[in-house]
Amino acid sequence: MMENVHLAPETDEDDLYSGYNDYNPTYDTEELENDTAFQQAVKTSHGRRPPSKTSLASSMGRPVTGAIQDGVTRPMTAVRAAGFTKAALRGSAFDPLGQSRGPAPPLEARNEDSPEEKIRQLEKKVNELVEESCIANSCGDLKLALEKAKDAGRKERVLVRQREQVTSPENINLDLTYSVLFNLASQYSANEMYPEALNTYQVIVKNKMFSNAGRLKVNMGNIYLKQRNYSKAIKFYRMALDQIPSVHKEMRIKIMQNIGVTFIKTGQYSDAINSFEHIMRMAPSLKAGFNLILSYFAVGDREKMKKAFQKLIAVPLETDEDGKYISPNDDPHTNLVIEAIKNDHLRQMERERKAMAEKYIMTAAKLIAPVIETSFAVGYDWCVEVVKASQYVELANDLEINKAIMYLRQKDFNQAVETLKMFEKKDSSVKSAAATNLSFLYYLENEFSQASSYADLAVNSDRYNPSALTNKGNTVFANGDYEKAAEFYKEALRNDSSCTEALYNIGLTYKKLNRLDEALDCFLKLHAILRNSAQVLYQIANIYELMEDPNQAMEWLMQLISVVPTDSRALSKLGGLYDSEGDKSQAFQYYYESYRYFPSNIEVIEWLGAYYIDTQFCEKAIQYFERASLIQPTQVKWQLMVASCFRRSGNYQKALDTYKDIHRKFPENVECLRFLVRLCTDIGLKEVQEYATKLKRLEKMKEIREQRTKSGRDGSGGLRGRRDGSAGSDGGQNCGAGSRGERLSAQLRALPRMEEPYDSSSNKELDASYVDPLGPQIERPRTAARKRVDEDDFADEELGDDLLPE
């Protein structure tokens, strides 16, 4: 016990070297094996010794790690994140992970009724409505898109009011407000509600808090352009141009394009020229080059037109060469890649761009060729030379064919034929096109042998040319070989199923062959392609009539009239069908409409006059027979009908004057003399003896003539008996009840001969053919020419789309 007790030496307190010999047994590592507390700490996970009753101090005077000093446990390490706290109680257990505190408390439940949560949900709903509005617009449902946009606008205003009540105004979501207003303005514009769209755009533009809102003045300019308020459109385009920085080059070019088009619409061609020239200097484009040519054409500047055409030709197409899509070797991998990209979206876009460039160049050449030189032929030659020196070499042949078409428009068929014959020694595709047009021309001139030879040349040059096959079928059809013509039409359809000319002509062929079911099938297929073709509708109706189905025929004729309501032939045909069915009122309606649109159709005039006679309105029939007599002044029957109507209506004096006038014009007409004798007898005039003498002399001369012509045959007596019987029946009516009581038979009979009295209209069948005033004869096969003579020479000026903010 005593050997462990160390007594402090009695030394001076000022001894500088005191304490150097002091020894702390804590740092005695040699005795650690015998230290039970240390061994226990090593074997367990406590991490420190049990707290000692006395604090241990190091030789430097700092607390030992794990010791307790002033009621605070010093951490085992200097890193505070180990789980220790400054306010640890004296004697607390070592718990760096905080396991003694128990499980974590549950998450706080969301308060659905809190203002912040309501604002968040409302904002989400507004965004969904904007998206739904845009989707509806892209699907073509403009009305639904506008309703969604309006609903989004209402909810967005509610959202702004709630946000102002909860937070400061600086926290308002300006991007959401801008999106809602811009979408609403766009939907108003799409629904052609232009005043509402302009008001909404004004709200956006005047709000200084919206950045880059000034560019929306382009959209306002587009609306004014649609309203044809060109001055305001130019004003807003220029305001937008001033507010768009120069770094946005593409957008500025589009605005300049719209300004130039607006100047063209106002007739300010010099200002339009300045705009398009600026575009062609900064960023040349096909659209700007074409509009520049239009402007120079309007002012009549020939030299500038040539320069502008050369600029248009020089615009880079920015597409890859076609050789890129041709495999250079037999590598399977390369072939698969080329096959994959041969018709992808990029390739389709390249084709569309090239087709648009060719359209602009061809239209511009056709526009300026007749005016840039002394004659259109020289102008076309200049355009052809310029095109040949450019990247559009293949268009030169098309320009030559258009030159031939221009000769056709000027009725110079010989020059057109000579121009087309120049292509006989060209490559197969051009030769086939020229031969097709030559066949078409000769067919129209009814030179079927020449048409057939050139059709053969076109077919031999390109066996898969449907137009050439159709023309060949037409020449065979004209020669009456309908079976062979049908084979050519079928081959044309196999090469191009959309060749409507071949399908129409094969229907006509089956109709000629009396294969009505097959013809009807062809025309019904064609009707599915050409919904509003008057010729197709008529053919279907005509086939149903031939199949003795008048109800279907009338139904299809009604569809035809809805397409061409002023077609007099269709109206008269429908009237004839109703007349054959016994519906006189409907027949009268359509016959009258036909007469109103074409008052020179003898069959219609004849039916209307007979209808009024049949309904006892003879005075109304007079105007129709008078018109017929004007159309056919050498036909005495119309004037006899006028006189008969006067007599039946009781106007005997007018009837007598009419018969006298007829007798002066046709002194050898027996029927006129008979009625003159009857009327003079009834009225008691002295001229009756004169007319009776003339009548006897004419009847005697007629008998002698008939005897000579028939060489003593007995038929003359029967004819004279029938003729006398006809006159006697009319005379019996006059002698009995008098001329006031005579009536026209209700049955419609055939027109009488020249020497017979004309009492009613004919029931002859009307011509079944239908002629479209803008197309070929319906009963003649269609001719498929490669180029239509009446094709449009001008392309519409196109405006840029609405510019959206970036």
Side-chain angles (χ1 to χ4, degrees):
M1 292 287 294
M2 294 299 295
E3 59 184 8
N4 291 329
V5 176
H6 300 279
L7 298 177
E10 296 178 0
T11 58
D12 189 6
E13 294 179 0
D14 297 329
D15 188 3
L16 296 176
Y17 299 98
S18 63
Y20 280 99
N21 294 325
D22 294 343
Y23 175 74
N24 191 341
T26 306
Y27 298 103
D28 187 5
T29 58
E30 296 179 357
E31 298 296 325
L32 288 178
E33 295 180 359
N34 300 325
D35 191 340
T36 58
F38 179 80
Q39 293 297 327
Q40 183 182 1
V42 171
K43 294 178 180 180
T44 62
S45 60
H46 286 210
R48 67 180 180 86
R49 292 184 181 183
S52 175
K53 294 182 180 180
T54 60
S55 62
L56 302 178
S58 66
S59 59
M60 299 299 294
R62 69 181 181 86
V64 180
T65 301
I68 297 176
Q69 186 178 10
D70 299 331
V72 178
T73 305
R74 186 179 185 277
M76 296 290 291
T77 176
V79 181
R80 286 287 181 184
F84 297 98
T85 59
K86 294 181 180 180
L89 298 175
R90 182 176 180 180
S92 62
F94 178 73
D95 189 12
L97 300 179
Q99 297 177 0
S100 62
R101 288 177 294 181
L107 295 175
E108 183 179 357
R110 177 182 297 179
N111 188 2
E112 299 289 344
D113 296 332
S114 64
E116 292 80 3
E117 185 61 28
K118 290 182 178 179
I119 290 174
R120 193 179 298 111
Q121 293 296 327
L122 189 56
E123 185 174 334
K124 181 179 178 182
K125 181 63 176 175
V126 171
N127 280 313
E128 290 176 354
L129 287 172
V130 172
E131 292 178 0
E132 291 173 1
S133 174
C134 296
I135 292 172
N137 182 283
S138 64
C139 295
D141 194 348
L142 302 180
K143 186 176 181 181
L144 178 62
L146 180 59
E147 292 298 327
K148 294 286 185 182
K150 288 180 178 180
D151 196 10
R154 288 190 292 267
K155 285 184 167 51
E156 193 273 335
R157 287 191 291 271
V158 174
L159 174 62
V160 170
R161 288 195 294 269
Q162 291 186 4
R163 195 181 291 276
E164 287 176 350
Q165 295 174 1
V166 175
T167 60
S168 59
E170 290 78 10
N171 294 329
I172 295 176
N173 191 346
L174 291 177
D175 291 338
L176 181 61
T177 304
Y178 181 90
S179 301
V180 170
L181 290 175
F182 178 73
N183 179 62
L184 181 60
S186 299
Q187 303 307 331
Y188 276 135
S189 179
N191 284 272
E192 299 183 356
M193 301 172 66
Y194 298 131
E196 293 83 354
L198 290 172
N199 293 335
T200 310
Y201 278 127
Q202 286 286 1
V203 172
I204 302 175
V205 170
K206 290 183 178 179
N207 194 334
K208 302 301 181 183
M209 300 179 69
F210 295 140
S211 60
N212 298 325
R215 69 183 60 184
L216 291 182
K217 291 180 180 178
V218 176
N219 293 8
M220 299 176 70
N222 288 341
I223 292 176
Y224 282 121
L225 186 65
K226 293 176 182 177
Q227 293 179 329
R228 299 188 178 183
N229 192 345
Y230 301 125
S231 59
K232 279 197 173 183
I234 294 173
K235 173 184 175 182
F236 276 88
Y237 284 144
R238 286 177 169 171
M239 291 170 62
L241 195 63
D242 294 338
Q243 296 184 10
I244 293 177
S246 58
V247 294
H248 296 157
K249 180 180 176 181
E250 185 177 355
M251 185 175 292
R252 292 177 63 86
I253 291 297
K254 287 185 178 181
I255 297 175
M256 288 293 295
Q257 173 80 15
N258 285 6
I259 292 175
V261 171
T262 310
F263 277 132
I264 288 179
K265 290 184 176 293
T266 58
Q268 303 177 31
Y269 300 112
S270 58
D271 294 329
I273 288 171
N274 294 333
S275 299
F276 293 126
E277 283 184 342
H278 174 75
I279 296 173
M280 294 301 289
R281 285 194 302 269
M282 301 300 296
S285 66
L286 294 167
K287 189 180 298 184
F290 179 74
N291 287 335
L292 182 60
I293 293 174
L294 285 180
S295 302
Y296 282 132
F297 178 82
V299 298
D301 195 334
R302 296 184 177 183
E303 295 300 323
K304 292 292 182 65
M305 275 189 274
K306 290 183 178 181
K307 293 180 180 179
F309 185 75
Q310 291 173 340
K311 290 180 181 179
L312 178 65
I313 291 287
V315 173
L317 197 56
E318 298 179 354
T319 58
D320 293 332
E321 297 293 335
D322 292 337
K324 172 184 175 182
Y325 302 98
I326 300 176
S327 177
N329 49 40
D330 295 334
D331 184 11
H333 178 71
T334 306
N335 293 337
L336 286 175
V337 173
I338 292 176
E339 191 67 28
I341 67 174
K342 188 179 293 185
N343 198 31
D344 60 354
H345 292 293
L346 179 60
R347 178 60 174 162
Q348 292 175 6
M349 185 187 72
E350 290 178 347
R351 289 198 190 107
E352 291 174 0
R353 183 177 297 177
K354 186 176 181 180
M356 182 183 68
E358 293 177 353
K359 175 185 175 183
Y360 280 133
I361 292 170
M362 290 293 296
T363 306
K366 290 186 289 184
L367 177 65
I368 68 174
V371 297
I372 58 176
E373 297 292 347
T374 56
S375 66
F376 80 90
V378 180
Y380 265 104
D381 293 338
W382 181 87
C383 292
V384 168
E385 293 300 324
V386 173
V387 169
K388 284 182 178 179
S390 68
Q391 56 182 330
Y392 304 99
V393 182
E394 64 275 5
L395 293 182
N397 293 324
D398 293 338
L399 282 175
E400 290 284 357
I401 292 178
N402 277 290
K403 180 181 176 182
I405 294 175
M406 185 62 71
Y407 279 123
L408 288 177
R409 289 182 175 175
Q410 295 189 356
K411 309 299 182 183
D412 194 348
F413 296 101
N414 295 328
Q415 284 292 336
V417 171
E418 291 299 324
T419 304
L420 291 172
K421 284 183 178 180
M422 294 169 54
F423 293 94
E424 292 183 6
K425 297 181 180 179
K426 296 290 183 70
D427 57 351
S428 59
S429 61
V430 179
K431 184 192 298 184
S432 178
T436 301
N437 286 339
L438 284 170
S439 175
F440 166 71
L441 291 176
Y442 283 121
Y443 182 83
L444 293 182
E445 293 180 353
N446 293 327
E447 297 183 13
F448 299 126
S449 60
Q450 289 283 353
S452 179
S453 62
Y454 279 104
D456 290 333
L457 178 61
V459 171
N460 294 332
S461 300
D462 184 4
R463 187 70 187 183
Y464 299 99
N465 185 352
S467 299
L469 292 167
T470 302
N471 283 354
K472 180 59 180 176
N474 291 347
T475 59
V476 177
F477 184 97
N479 293 327
D481 193 350
Y482 303 123
E483 293 287 354
K484 191 174 180 181
E487 293 300 324
F488 281 107
Y489 296 142
K490 288 178 182 178
E491 186 175 356
L493 285 173
R494 284 194 296 269
N495 293 337
D496 183 7
S497 59
S498 63
C499 184
T500 56
E501 291 85 0
L503 186 58
Y504 183 91
N505 290 348
I506 198 172
L508 286 182
T509 305
Y510 287 142
K511 185 178 172 184
K512 287 286 186 181
L513 294 171
N514 203 27
R515 293 155 63 176
L516 299 180
D517 291 331
E518 296 177 62
L520 181 62
D521 184 55
C522 290
F523 287 118
L524 289 176
K525 288 180 181 177
L526 194 57
H527 175 65
I529 301 173
L530 306 174
R531 302 296 299 180
N532 295 323
S533 174
Q535 294 181 345
V536 175
L537 290 171
Y538 176 82
Q539 290 296 334
I540 295 174
N542 183 245
I543 290 174
Y544 275 121
E545 184 182 6
L546 295 176
M547 296 171 70
E548 298 181 355
D549 190 349
N551 293 328
Q552 284 290 337
M554 287 187 287
E555 181 180 344
W556 285 96
L557 282 174
M558 291 293 292
Q559 294 187 38
L560 173 62
I561 291 173
S562 67
V563 175
V564 280
T566 60
D567 193 304
S568 61
R569 297 296 297 273
L571 290 167
S572 63
K573 185 65 178 175
L574 188 57
L577 288 174
Y578 276 112
D579 184 27
S580 63
E581 292 295 308
D583 193 344
K584 298 292 184 182
S585 60
Q586 284 289 338
F588 170 75
Q589 177 184 349
Y590 289 110
Y591 271 123
Y592 182 77
E593 288 294 314
S594 176
Y595 173 79
R596 196 163 62 89
Y597 290 118
F598 184 62
S600 300
N601 191 329
I602 290 295
E603 289 85 0
V604 175
I605 295 173
E606 181 182 356
W607 192 94
L608 288 172
Y611 174 80
Y612 279 119
I613 291 176
D614 186 38
T615 54
Q616 308 300 323
F617 291 101
C618 298
E619 62 276 3
K620 289 187 177 181
I622 294 173
Q623 58 173 329
Y624 296 103
F625 293 122
E626 286 179 343
R627 179 172 291 275
S629 65
L630 292 176
I631 297 172
Q632 295 180 345
T634 59
Q635 297 290 329
V636 68
K637 58 184 177 182
W638 306 120
Q639 300 180 45
L640 288 173
M641 281 303 304
V642 173
S644 177
C645 289
F646 281 125
R647 182 166 51 85
R648 292 171 188 277
S649 60
N651 194 344
Y652 296 108
Q653 186 60 44
K654 190 69 175 175
L656 181 62
D657 295 339
T658 305
Y659 279 125
K660 288 180 179 181
D661 185 61
I662 296 172
H663 178 63
R664 283 193 298 270
K665 294 178 181 178
F666 304 94
E668 295 184 358
N669 187 272
V670 177
E671 299 300 326
C672 179
L673 284 171
R674 286 177 181 170
F675 286 118
L676 279 173
V677 170
R678 293 170 187 170
L679 281 176
C680 291
T681 302
D682 293 341
I683 298 175
L685 297 179
K686 297 180 180 180
E687 294 95 334
V688 61
Q689 189 63 36
E690 177 185 356
Y691 291 130
T693 305
K694 291 181 179 180
L695 178 60
K696 289 180 180 179
R697 185 170 64 251
L698 284 176
E699 288 179 346
K700 187 175 182 180
M701 291 176 60
K702 191 171 184 180
E703 290 179 2
I704 296 172
R705 191 182 302 117
E706 287 178 355
Q707 288 176 0
R708 289 177 180 177
T709 55
K710 296 185 179 301
S711 300
R713 287 184 297 178
D714 298 332
S716 59
L719 289 174
R720 185 163 55 253
R722 284 197 299 272
R723 186 165 61 250
D724 294 341
S726 174
S729 62
D730 197 0
Q733 291 175 1
N734 287 317
C735 295
S739 61
R740 297 178 185 270
E742 65 182 77
R743 295 288 183 269
L744 187 69
S745 174
Q747 299 293 332
L748 296 179
R749 300 190 301 274
L751 283 175
R753 296 188 299 275
M754 292 291 294
E755 68 275 7
E756 294 181 354
Y758 183 84
D759 289 335
S760 62
S761 71
S762 171
N763 195 23
K764 293 190 299 183
E765 183 180 357
L766 298 179
D767 187 8
S769 63
Y770 170 79
V771 180
D772 187 4
L774 298 180
Q777 293 283 343
I778 205 68
E779 293 296 341
R780 190 176 189 177
R782 287 185 175 183
T783 304
R786 183 173 182 271
K787 295 289 183 181
R788 289 182 57 87
V789 176
D790 57 347
E791 64 182 341
D792 191 7
D793 280 345
F794 300 92
D796 295 334
E797 302 88 4
E798 297 181 16
L799 297 178
D801 297 332
D802 290 355
L803 301 180
L804 304 180
E806 294 181 351

